[in-house]
Amino acid sequence: MPLTRETPLTGLPGVGPVRGQKLEKLGLRTLGDTLDHLPQRYEDRRECCALQDAPRDRPCCVSAMVAETPRISFVRRGLTLVKVKAVDGAGTVHITFFNQDYIREVMRAGESFVFYGVVERQGNLFTMTNPVFEREGTGRTTGLIMPVYPLTAGISNNLMAGLTRRAVEECLEGLPEVLPAKIRKDHQLCQTQFARKHIHYPATFEELETVRRRLVFEELFILTCGLAQLKDRRSAGDGRLMDSSPEEFVALLPFTPTEAQRRAMEDIAADLKSGKAMNRLVQGDVGSGKTAVAAFGAWAAAKNGVQCALMAPTELLAEQHARTMDALLSPAGMRVALLTGSVKGKEKKNLLSALAEGGIDLIVGTHALFSQGVEYKDLGLVIADEQHRFGVAQRAALAEKGGAVPPHVLVMSATPIPRTLALIIYGDLDVSIMDELPPGRTPVSTLLVGEDKRQRMYGFVRRQVDEGRQVYIVCPSVEENGGAGWEDGPGMDLKAVTAYARELQERVFPDLRVGFVHGKLNAKDKEAAMSAFNRGELDVLVSTTVIEVGVDVPNASVIIIENAERFGLSQLHQLRGRVGRGKHQSWCILVTASGRETARERLKALCATNDGFQIAEEDLRLRGPGDFFGKRQHGLPQLKVADFASDMQLLKEAKQAAEELIADDPELKKSSHRLLKRKVQKLFQENAELFH
Ligand code: ADP
Ligand code: MG
């Protein structure tokens, strides 16, 4: 029977039921599946040498004839040696195989083989140990660029390579092309069959580059087609018509807005009166003043008689927003309320009924805002602050609270995420960029110090406090502290918040007012410490990263970050953004005891620039997208071929092509787009929790 892409792997030579099951664990059931099981790297086995000329420092292929019957010796239990003597015309090589008894049966005197490995040489004696070998003229594991696959126990690379070879040799014919011909032509992409064959068995590394480019494009194209559809569907939805004037709102602000703030408000005002549901991201570096822009949205909603919900990632931030919004908007007659997990009992009941009856215009809170039992009278606008913590799916879920007409959605992100990631995570949003800081800010100076400078640093803190400033000291979080797997080993003295705060208060700053706040603290104590710091009643606040996002105390001029090597660069940049928010010169001091050069290099990158985007790119390059947002869900699908750090140019091309195609055929109804449609659906099903 001829092999097809549907042929099950179980039953093929070398694959019994046991291996069949193991292959299934790798997601491989049919021969066609193996086409998509891509090598993780390649080994260049093309170089062939005579024994005499073999390089000493790297493996190569040697073609030689077995000179005599191999000898086997049993060294001890579990260790046998097979010794093979082979000649290549000018020299003799003694080859040793460990624990491969069967070789005695395979290699008969007079037969020629190609051996791939390092040829060692002592005088005129050549030796090889455990080389890869195959009969001369086979060309399957030697004399080529060998694919190296992701494997699982019991499945060897040779078996895997054997399967992919059969797949590319016997079932590529008729493989349908997913990319439209015009797109392939415009972007100079090779055909699918060619790509699928040579991604496994490239003749040269240039060819590999060509086919990889096509597969990366394909993968990103399918993804961005899906995102473009998502965006298309959202924007097709009706939205409440709202009329609002940024000029009128600006009069409420205690400051003159920056141009960037004005532009963002204009964008929002235009969305609100477009008749379609708004889906906008406002992206701006820390301190660029996004809160005022959010306030404009809330104000506009109230003006138009609908409710607004503002969601923050932490209770702390929600509380701060509630205060700011109330101060700003209650003079305009707006009713602002706070709902977090710690609002309970009667208070909560009253609040919920006020919300359901329309007695509240703006409700600020955590994700509790969208939990069950929270009913809105008429939710017209949802604002999510620090959006990178919420994936596409969460956004969609909260939009559903709006009833028949979906509410407008505005998301704010202070994390300048690398442009590549932004294109994907926010691929379904319109974007306003705030690339301007309010006037009068002095850039934060960032220093890297070791333990030896600790006393000097405390002296500096004291002088700043004497001048009336306040200081943050950040430690790795309390929970994290107990965890295993510290890169720097158990000897590291990690600063735990409570103990450290006590030590500082008692021994270092007995005359200063030291407070602490961390995630494990109950809401009331947290609130108390934060607002004390806010009001200037604390000089030093020791905390975990709960102060990371959004906290705003302009009088704070120093932030010290202990064990700085524990944090990602983007996170450090966020933390740094807690200072430099007022008119005072500010400092960010990174403390590390780590002697490791890589750790220090990374931190130095942060000292060198205040540009959040540049830092984000660097972070992505160093840590990869999986780590980019820490342990939290980062909202990115798993990609097989593409690399978010290095394939950015292609992503742009693919995205543009995808958007043009979707504009032309929004539902992918054309018959030439049938396969594309299937692939988009499959990707989105596999990532159902990310896309909605
Ligand atoms: P972020 O973009 O990080 O959320 P915030 O909205 O918290 O920034 O603003 C940072 C600080 O700058 C706040 O103290 C805020 O009152 C102040 N601010 C915002 N916009 C302006 C402006 N146009 N002029 C002066 N100060 C501003
Ligand atoms: Mg903010």
Side-chain angles (χ1 to χ4, degrees):
M1 227 180 46
L3 296 178
T4 69
R5 290 191 292 279
E6 310 309 325
T7 306
L9 292 170
T10 309
L12 291 177
V15 188
V18 175
R19 284 201 178 127
Q21 273 185 0
K22 293 185 165 161
L23 287 165
E24 219 164 321
K25 268 205 219 142
L26 291 171
L28 308 174
R29 205 182 55 76
T30 66
L31 205 50
D33 292 339
T34 68
L35 287 172
D36 291 324
H37 191 62
L38 302 184
Q40 56 192 6
R41 60 188 179 85
Y42 301 83
E43 210 169 281
D44 190 352
R45 298 183 182 173
R46 288 174 300 175
E47 189 180 17
C48 291
C49 296
L51 281 169
Q52 290 287 354
D53 309 326
R56 290 170 173 225
D57 54 343
R58 60 175 189 274
C60 71
C61 295
V62 171
S63 177
M65 187 183 77
V66 176
E68 30 184 81
T69 303
R71 282 196 316 248
I72 186 160
S73 49
F74 299 91
V75 181
R76 55 177 156 77
R77 221 174 130 101
L79 179 62
T80 55
L81 300 182
V82 178
K83 297 211 176 210
V84 178
K85 190 166 142 190
V87 293
D88 84 338
T92 302
V93 59
H94 295 268
I95 307 170
T96 309
F97 292 98
F98 290 96
N99 290 338
Q100 298 181 58
D101 304 9
Y102 72 97
I103 281 173
R104 198 172 43 159
E105 315 300 325
V106 176
M107 293 193 186
R108 299 183 187 279
E111 292 175 347
S112 290
F113 288 84
V114 180
F115 300 93
Y116 172 77
V118 178
V119 177
E120 291 186 82
R121 181 171 191 169
Q122 286 152 345
N124 272 337
L125 184 71
F126 299 102
T127 59
M128 292 178 94
T129 310
N130 282 340
V132 166
F133 67 92
E134 66 183 348
R135 238 167 254 285
E136 196 160 75
T138 319
R140 301 219 149 168
T141 56
T142 66
L144 46 59
I145 297 177
M146 183 73 189
V148 181
Y149 293 97
L151 300 170
T152 185
I155 302 296
S156 72
N157 196 53
N158 276 357
L159 178 73
M160 204 54 242
L163 294 173
T164 58
R165 183 174 285 280
R166 297 204 73 164
V168 302
E169 280 174 356
E170 307 196 36
C171 44
L172 275 177
E173 213 174 276
L175 185 74
E177 174 62 81
V178 62
L179 295 177
K182 177 166 184 328
I183 289 180
R184 271 202 295 117
K185 185 158 163 286
D186 289 352
H187 297 273
Q188 304 196 341
L189 303 164
C190 63
Q191 288 183 339
T192 183
Q193 292 173 23
F194 184 86
R196 295 227 147 44
K197 175 167 184 188
H198 295 283
I199 193 71
H200 292 281
Y201 295 98
T204 63
F205 284 99
E206 290 74 46
E207 188 175 83
L208 178 61
E209 217 18 73
T210 307
V211 301
R212 186 181 172 276
R213 184 169 173 279
R214 135 107 212 185
L215 293 175
V216 169
F217 187 98
E218 175 182 320
E219 184 168 46
L220 296 172
F221 180 71
I222 291 168
L223 174 62
T224 48
C225 272
L227 290 169
Q229 275 189 310
L230 208 60
K231 181 168 173 174
D232 191 68
R233 273 181 221 147
R234 294 245 170 97
S235 58
D238 287 340
R240 291 169 178 74
L241 261 177
M242 296 192 194
D243 217 6
S244 60
S245 142
E247 266 330 297
E248 195 185 334
F249 167 77
V250 157
L252 294 173
L253 290 174
F255 43 70
T256 315
T258 64
E259 274 311 304
Q261 281 170 319
R262 272 182 206 278
R263 274 200 310 274
M265 290 182 215
E266 293 293 349
D267 288 347
I268 292 166
D271 289 350
L272 293 180
K273 66 169 181 225
S274 73
K276 292 183 171 178
M278 169 168 75
N279 269 296
R280 180 166 295 277
L281 165 72
V282 174
Q283 203 181 10
D285 212 341
V286 279
S288 58
K290 291 181 296 298
T291 312
V293 174
F296 166 68
W299 174 85
K303 276 257 151 192
N304 287 272
V306 297
Q307 293 172 302
C308 173
L310 169 56
M311 171 165 65
T314 62
E315 297 209 346
L316 212 62
L317 199 56
E319 286 151 14
Q320 179 189 290
H321 274 327
R323 272 196 304 273
T324 312
M325 292 293 170
D326 191 51
L328 203 62
L329 299 173
S330 64
M334 278 179 66
R335 293 156 300 178
V336 180
L338 173 69
L339 175 64
T340 62
S342 23
V343 178
K344 297 220 166 70
K346 189 139 185 277
E347 193 190 349
K348 180 168 177 185
K349 221 175 124 215
N350 289 342
L351 200 138
L352 290 182
S353 60
L355 199 59
E357 283 154 18
I360 292 172
D361 300 306
L362 169 60
I363 181 105
V364 183
T366 53
H367 53 272
L369 291 179
F370 302 97
S371 51
Q372 280 206 329
V374 182
E375 302 290 337
Y376 295 81
K377 174 145 190 283
D378 187 8
L379 181 61
L381 171 64
V382 171
I383 306 177
D385 195 24
E386 300 308 336
Q387 141 70 21
H388 70 274
R389 308 236 162 186
F390 305 100
V392 179
Q394 283 96 324
R395 253 186 283 141
L398 59 84
E400 270 163 17
K401 285 275 177 188
V405 189
H408 296 289
V409 175
L410 178 62
V411 295
M412 327 285 292
S413 172
T415 312
I417 68 169
R419 280 157 236 271
T420 22
L421 301 193
L423 284 177
I424 291 179
I425 298 177
Y426 305 134
D428 62 328
L429 299 177
D430 296 309
V431 182
S432 302
I433 302 260
M434 305 222 318
D435 51 1
E436 184 186 2
L437 295 183
R441 302 265 174 89
T442 350
V444 180
S445 306
T446 306
L447 317 166
L448 181 62
V449 306
E451 277 304 320
D452 53 320
K453 301 264 167 46
R454 183 168 290 283
Q455 292 314 317
R456 277 180 63 182
M457 180 174 84
Y458 288 148
F460 179 68
V461 166
R462 182 176 294 282
R463 283 196 301 283
Q464 283 290 303
V465 172
D466 285 346
E467 285 178 27
R469 300 289 84 73
Q470 289 165 284
V471 177
Y472 293 105
I473 301 185
V474 180
C475 311
S477 75
V478 174
E479 309 91 271
E480 271 175 313
N481 214 5
W486 294 103
E487 286 169 40
D488 300 277
M492 278 288 290
D493 174 26
L494 289 160
K495 305 286 180 197
V497 174
T498 33
Y500 186 38
R502 197 174 314 124
E503 183 192 318
L504 280 176
Q505 177 76 81
E506 286 168 8
R507 304 210 191 146
V508 188
F509 303 124
D511 51 329
L512 303 186
R513 299 161 300 173
V514 180
F516 64 90
V517 53
H518 57 73
K520 285 272 164 79
L521 220 54
N522 71 44
K524 226 169 110 219
D525 294 345
K526 230 188 300 181
E527 159 80 25
M530 273 317 297
S531 50
F533 191 70
N534 240 321
R535 289 192 301 267
E537 290 160 12
L538 289 175
D539 303 308
V540 177
L541 183 69
V542 185
S543 86
T544 57
T545 54
V546 290
I547 62 146
E548 176 186 348
V549 276
V551 171
D552 183 39
V553 180
N555 190 46
S557 66
V558 180
I559 183 163
I560 291 175
I561 302 168
E562 300 279 358
N563 302 106
E565 73 285 349
R566 293 296 317 152
F567 299 90
L569 289 184
S570 294
Q571 203 180 8
L572 289 170
H573 180 65
Q574 277 291 319
L575 287 167
R576 175 166 66 181
R578 297 311 106 218
V579 298
R581 300 172 83 85
K583 49 189 183 300
H584 316 287
Q585 166 66 50
S586 299
W587 289 268
C588 169
I589 306 182
L590 308 173
V591 186
T592 178
S594 171
R596 290 190 322 171
E597 202 42 42
T598 46
R600 301 182 69 87
E601 277 306 308
R602 219 163 57 85
L603 295 175
K604 278 185 195 153
L606 200 77
C607 300
T609 179
N610 277 308
D611 180 338
F613 281 102
Q614 212 177 316
I615 290 162
E617 302 282 354
E618 184 71 9
D619 213 14
L620 176 64
R621 200 176 61 72
L622 291 169
R623 304 201 305 162
D627 278 345
F628 191 74
F629 297 126
K631 291 191 201 77
R632 298 188 194 225
Q633 178 196 28
H634 53 56
L636 289 172
Q638 274 286 315
L639 295 184
K640 285 199 176 109
V641 219
D643 178 300
F644 285 113
S646 63
D647 291 321
M648 175 159 146
Q649 186 51 42
L650 266 186
L651 174 60
K652 278 190 197 145
E653 284 185 36
K655 182 172 153 71
Q656 194 183 345
E659 281 175 355
E660 283 166 18
L661 187 106
I662 294 300
D664 177 50
D665 182 12
E667 295 298 323
L668 294 173
K669 283 202 174 116
K670 292 190 180 168
S671 63
S672 58
H673 297 155
R674 201 179 298 148
L675 179 62
L676 177 61
K677 180 171 183 169
R678 259 212 328 269
K679 294 219 169 194
V680 170
Q681 279 170 345
K682 182 157 174 276
L683 176 74
F684 278 58
Q685 271 155 14
E686 283 168 1
N687 293 283
E689 76 285 7
L690 301 182
F691 305 117
H692 195 78

